[in-house]
Each structure stands twice: as structure tokens, then as C-alpha cells.
Amino acid sequence: MPQDESATRIQIRNRALILDAALDAFSAEGFTGATLDGIAGAAGLSKPNLLYYFKSKEAIYRALLDHLLETWLDPLRAIDPEGEPLEEMLGYVRRKLALARDFPRESRLFAGEILRGAPVMGDALSGQLRALVDEHSAVIRGWMEAGRLAPSDPHHLIFSVWALTQHYADFETQVQAVLGARRDPWAEAERHLETHFRRVLTA
Amino acid sequence: MPQDESATRIQIRNRALILDAALDAFSAEGFTGATLDGIAGAAGLSKPNLLYYFKSKEAIYRALLDHLLETWLDPLRAIDPEGEPLEEMLGYVRRKLALARDFPRESRLFAGEILRGAPVMGDALSGQLRALVDEHSAVIRGWMEAGRLAPSDPHHLIFSVWALTQHYADFETQVQAVLGARRDPWAEAERHLETHFRRVLTA
DNA sequence: GTAGCGTCTGACCGGACGGTCAAATCCTGC
DNA sequence: GCAGGATTTGACCGTCCGGTCAGACGCTAC
């Protein structure tokens, strides 16, 4: 069993290969739909060799989610309480949309986990995530009470940012089907969300 | 094999039992995660008996999706081109949110299907759905050009209605975890989306 | 070069799952 | 009440899948 502290070059490379192949599989087919054989094959390893690096299918899944939550919360953390409210919020929307555009597999992995009732991430949601959202909701509420943003429920405002940005990654198939091949959903989404939230936040 | 045209009372009852149990299973665990044994058990039938009514697991899944698409598009169809634009759009938001609130299993089933790339509904999306959306986008664009709604891209406006309403059903676990047990997400969502879209549509 | 650890593999296991089948039982129309 | 189709069941099959294991191979430090 490879140790975490002193990782070999081979360990680093193969762990990365496995996680990348697993992200493909889990995001496209879900936890139960993905198979160890498929992941191993895509990573160029044999199944027993894969299980030499991760002790079970669930261990791979957990490793992905652990790594995911951190980067997923960064855009929210980057909001500056001292900044100009409207620009801070629009910047948050832009960062979140860019994350969805650049990491659609991660977005879909997360969506699948929540859809299934968050059997693995449940604790992180009601702990870490909730605390962070509460914290920033307070900042936003402060801005609203100071008359620097149009008033609304900060929690639901944050939900709306999540919903609107992740929609383009999670439901990409539907967006593509409805818009047709000729259009560029991400560029249009960026423009649309810009005007959309500008209105919501400055009414 | 039971005929579709002349359905027995028993057929009607058992088909309904099966579809209800299957909706539970598929929406909670996904297509691959759900099992025929589990569905049969929840429906109070044996597995071979279940397969007497539906010839395969996929046949049940398809039956659910077929029935789903119809009711799912109703709120959009109910938009009246002759009505008052703002009220028509807000009514659409309210109907869509009510649907998500009253039929969260259906919403999650649909979300799971799209997340996995719409292997079954793909054709319906680029056919029926796209046509309907194009049609109503034209109506909305007409309202905007007449100055009766704030201008934006009608397609993305519709996407935003979908994203914001279905978010509360599909990501209910996350919403609950972040808001805590004391609050009523659906009531809050209704108020929030009302003011949210009022601003977006009348800026 | 060889000891020893890290890496990799083929063969295998046990269980779960989708689906089949022949036969039993039930129900309905006459 | 009975013929015949509708319904139900238990037993079974083949496959897939997650996981194990004993051993082979390879690399590196001495």
C-alpha cells in the first residue's frame, strides 16, 4: 500500500491517471454506472493494479469529492467584503460560470452526488458549506441594508448563482439540443448572466 | 403479454404500482443504481411478475420518461401570446416552481437523464422540446421588441426559469443542508423568484 | 549482485442483477 | 362449472462487477 507522505513518482502519476479516468467515468455514468474495469482500462492499468492505489471504488469517489469541494468553494471565498458590492457579486458570477465552463466533469460529478441525496458529501454540506454560505450571506445582507445592493434573501441569491451557472454544465446536453449547433452557449451565457444579475442586484 | 388497447383492471393497477415504485427508484438511485428486485418489492410484486408487465428495465424507464415530457412542457405551453407579458412570464415561473415542488421525483428523474447525456430522451430534446422553445422564444422576443419586457436572449431567459425552479427539487438536499431545518425553502423560493424575475423582466 | 521494497498481473471468488421458462393459479365469460 | 386466457410464481441461467490473493517482475540502495 503506497504511503501518502512519501509518494513515488510512479504513485503520483498513476494516482493522477486513475483520478482523471474516474472523473470521466463517474461524471458520465454515475457512481453505480461506472465500473472499475472501465476506469482501469481508461487509465491504462489493470483492475488489481488500480486497487493497489485505491482500496475500493468508493475510495476513488471520495478522493474526487474531497478534492472537488475545495476548488468549488473558491469563487465564493474570493468575495471581498471591502470591495464594491455590485462588482464583487458580478465577479462571483463570472468566476462560478468560468469554473462550470472549464470543469464541467467536476460540476456533473457534484450534481450527481447531490441528486442522489449526497450520501458521501452530506456532512460537508451541512458543515463546511453551510458555514461558508452563512458567512457570506451576512456580508451580502450588510450590503443590502446599506442600500448598496437591491434587497433580497442572500441565501436564495446565492442559490440562484449556483443554479444558473451550473445549469450550463450539468444540462449541457439539453442546452445544446435546444440552441442547436450553431451557437456558443458559454459566450451567450456569460453575456446573459451579466445583464441578468445586474438587474437583480440594482433594481 | 398484456395488450395496450384493452387493459384489465389488474393491468391498470399493477402498471401504476410499478411505475410509481420505479419512479421512486430511478429518481433516487439513477437508472443503473435502481434494481428490478427493488422496484418489484416496493410495488408488492415478484420480479418475474413485474417483467410480465414491462418487458425490460429500460422499458419501464422509457415509459416514465414518455409520460414525463408531456406534463413537463405544460407550463410553457400555457403561456398566452395574447396575455400581459409580465404576468404571463411570472405565471410561467410560478407554474414551473409548483411543478418542481409537487413532483420532485419527476424533476430528479429528468435531471438524471440529462446529466447522463440524455441517452433516451436525446431525440425528444432536439425535436419536440427545441421546437416548443423556439416557438415561445419568438413570442417573448416579440414582447421585448415591443418594449413590453426588458430585452434579453429569450432562450437563455427560459433556461434561467428552468435552472432556478428545478434547482429546488434537484438539489433539495443541498438547499436543506444550507438553509437548515427551520426554514421553508419552497415558500421562500416562491417569494424570491417573484421579485427576482420581476426585476429581470422589467429593468 | 542481491536484498528488499515497490509495482503489477492472471486467476479466481462470491454475490448481485437482468432476464427466462415452465408450470401453477386465478379470473372471467359463457 | 368449465374453458381459456390472464396473472403469478419458484427455480434457474449467464453475465457482470467489486474485490482478493499469491506470486511475478522491476527498481534501487548497498
Side-chain angles (χ1 to χ4, degrees):
Chain A
M1 194 97 57
Q3 304 297 327
D4 284 334
E5 311 94 42
S6 63
T8 302
R9 263 176 308 244
I10 297 182
Q11 280 178 32
I12 294 175
R13 185 196 47 150
N14 282 351
R15 280 186 169 255
L17 283 172
I18 292 169
L19 288 176
D20 189 68
L23 181 53
D24 267 351
F26 285 137
S27 66
E29 313 169 55
F31 179 77
T32 50
T35 70
L36 290 183
D37 287 284
I39 296 172
L45 303 173
S46 67
K47 181 169 62 173
N49 196 14
L50 182 152
L51 286 163
Y52 168 72
Y53 290 99
F54 292 89
K55 78 176 210 297
S56 70
K57 187 184 187 183
E58 192 181 323
I60 308 178
Y61 186 70
R62 297 192 106 97
L64 282 173
L65 284 184
D66 283 351
H67 176 262
L68 174 58
L69 190 61
E70 284 314 304
T71 57
W72 222 238
L73 296 182
D74 278 346
L76 189 52
R77 272 196 267 263
I79 293 180
D80 178 10
E82 310 299 326
E84 203 283 312
L86 179 61
E87 276 314 308
E88 288 299 323
M89 294 302 295
L90 290 179
Y92 175 50
V93 173
R94 270 191 295 267
R95 286 192 298 273
K96 201 78 178 51
L97 185 66
L99 218 58
R101 188 221 308 138
D102 297 337
F103 303 98
R105 297 182 304 172
E106 282 82 347
S107 183
R108 282 192 274 263
L109 178 73
F110 188 82
E113 163 72 6
I114 307 296
L115 247 191
R116 302 297 165 240
V120 169
M121 294 199 69
D123 289 346
L125 296 188
S126 49
Q128 200 179 348
L129 177 63
R130 182 178 178 182
L132 190 68
V133 171
D134 280 347
E135 182 188 327
H136 284 87
S137 289
V139 172
I140 295 173
R141 179 171 289 111
W143 284 337
M144 290 174 176
E145 289 172 352
R148 307 177 68 189
L149 283 182
S152 64
D153 185 313
H155 284 92
H156 289 268
L157 179 60
I158 290 173
F159 289 160
S160 70
V161 176
W162 293 350
L164 288 170
T165 54
Q166 291 180 208
H167 184 83
Y168 289 94
D170 303 343
F171 293 81
E172 188 167 23
T173 303
Q174 188 180 17
V175 170
Q176 289 282 1
V178 169
L179 288 185
R182 234 181 298 270
R183 301 170 65 168
D184 178 358
W186 291 106
E188 296 181 7
E190 186 165 1
R191 282 197 301 274
H192 188 262
L193 293 187
E194 164 92 20
T195 64
H196 184 105
F197 276 105
R198 203 174 276 278
R199 291 172 187 171
V200 168
L201 294 166
T202 62
Chain B
M1 194 98 53
Q3 304 297 330
D4 284 334
E5 309 94 45
S6 64
T8 304
R9 264 176 307 247
I10 297 182
Q11 280 178 31
I12 294 175
R13 186 198 44 150
N14 282 351
R15 279 184 169 257
L17 283 173
I18 291 168
L19 289 176
D20 190 69
L23 181 54
D24 267 350
F26 285 136
S27 66
E29 312 169 56
F31 179 77
T32 50
T35 71
L36 290 182
D37 288 283
I39 296 172
L45 303 173
S46 66
K47 181 170 61 174
N49 197 13
L50 181 151
L51 286 164
Y52 169 71
Y53 290 99
F54 292 90
K55 76 175 211 298
S56 69
K57 186 184 186 182
E58 192 182 324
I60 308 178
Y61 186 70
R62 296 191 107 97
L64 282 174
L65 285 184
D66 283 351
H67 176 263
L68 173 57
L69 190 61
E70 283 314 303
T71 57
W72 222 239
L73 295 182
D74 278 344
L76 189 53
R77 273 195 267 262
I79 293 180
D80 178 9
E82 310 298 325
E84 204 284 310
L86 179 61
E87 277 314 309
E88 288 299 324
M89 293 302 294
L90 291 178
Y92 174 50
V93 173
R94 270 191 295 268
R95 287 192 299 273
K96 201 79 180 50
L97 186 66
L99 218 58
R101 189 222 306 136
D102 297 337
F103 303 97
R105 295 181 306 172
E106 283 82 349
S107 183
R108 282 191 274 265
L109 178 72
F110 187 83
E113 164 71 5
I114 306 297
L115 246 191
R116 302 298 165 241
V120 169
M121 295 198 68
D123 289 346
L125 296 188
S126 47
Q128 199 179 350
L129 177 63
R130 182 178 177 181
L132 191 68
V133 171
D134 280 347
E135 182 188 328
H136 283 88
S137 288
V139 173
I140 294 173
R141 178 171 290 111
W143 284 338
M144 290 174 177
E145 288 172 352
R148 305 177 70 191
L149 281 182
S152 63
D153 185 313
H155 284 92
H156 289 268
L157 180 60
I158 290 174
F159 290 159
S160 70
V161 176
W162 293 351
L164 288 169
T165 54
Q166 291 181 211
H167 184 83
Y168 288 95
D170 304 342
F171 294 80
E172 189 168 24
T173 303
Q174 187 179 243
V175 170
Q176 289 281 1
V178 169
L179 288 185
R182 233 181 297 271
R183 302 169 65 169
D184 177 358
W186 291 105
E188 296 180 8
E190 187 165 1
R191 282 197 300 275
H192 187 262
L193 293 187
E194 165 91 21
T195 64
H196 184 104
F197 276 104
R198 203 174 276 280
R199 290 172 187 171
V200 168
L201 293 166
T202 62

